[in-house]
Amino acid sequence: NAGVMQNPRHLVRRRGQEARLRCSPVKGHSHVYWYRQLPEEGLKFMVYLQKENIIDESGMPKERFSAEFPKEGPSILRIQQVVRGDSAAYFCASSPRDFVSNQPQHFGDGTRLSIL
Amino acid sequence: GESVGLHLPTLSVQEGDNSIINCAYSNSASDYFIWYKQESGKGPQFIIDIRSNMDKRQGQRVTVLLNKTVKHLSLQIAATQPGDSAVYFCAETAQAGTALIFGKGTTLSVSS
């Protein structure tokens, strides 16, 4: 079984451009989470989505950032008009629908976003 | 506030020693805890988890201990190997399936 797949692994953008990060969850998982990690720090929660629904976006900046998880296809984290402070590693995690079994979140290997 | 922290940013051990990595959490409503291992350039890898109705759980070479009285979590690695070198994070959540709150991590270095 394939794990969480993220692409691209590395993304370079100039200030003001748009960044699109993609995440394909583990097959059969319907819950996706996005986290951001700055160097030497732990992961910070951004947004939690189920298919076609945003469940919790309390960790996502109100401006320039958006996320979606369509019925078909990967989850997308979109950052518009990027700034240098957006440089970070962005991780996606997924978990199955069944909360009762307390399945942990499984992470992809992230997208390293660098803003020039 | 809701935060998870670790006592030591770095830990150096000799190969074959036992390692203990500690974590303090502040949210008494948290009921699910996970230890992750992160190697350079990779995402967090699940090691072991524990629910708040337990105080100990064992895996292969790893044991997690939970002390709810003092809100303390620890990860014990037996017979530490060079391949165990990584950054270790504890994470908590108030309900399985919701957002995880991560601490800053402990870097474990294992020398041969």
Side-chain angles (χ1 to χ4, degrees), chain B residues 19-99:
Chain B
S19 302
I20 299 176
I21 300 173
N22 296 306
C23 174
Y25 65 95
S26 59
N27 185 1
S28 54
S30 292
D31 64 357
Y32 181 56
F33 304 88
I34 309 175
W35 279 101
Y36 284 96
K37 171 187 179 184
Q38 186 176 27
E39 296 174 283
S40 180
K42 298 213 171 167
Q45 175 189 353
F46 171 82
I47 301 174
I48 192 167
D49 58 0
I50 189 167
R51 295 277 294 173
S52 59
N53 60 354
M54 303 172 68
D55 53 22
K56 180 179 180 178
R57 192 165 186 218
Q58 287 184 295
Q60 186 176 13
R61 283 203 305 120
V62 294
T63 300
V64 55
L65 299 176
L66 175 63
N67 185 332
K68 294 179 288 293
T69 302
V70 295
K71 290 187 279 189
H72 183 267
L73 192 69
S74 69
L75 176 70
Q76 300 178 0
I77 305 174
T80 314
Q81 302 168 359
D84 295 327
S85 295
V87 181
Y88 289 80
F89 294 96
C90 65
E92 62 175 318
T93 183
Q95 177 183 348
T98 60

Side-chain angles (χ1 to χ4, degrees), chain B residues 10-14 80 84-86 107-111:
Chain B
T10 60
L11 177 64
S12 297
V13 300
Q14 291 285 323
T80 314
D84 295 327
S85 295
T107 300
L108 175 65
S109 299
V110 183
S111 52

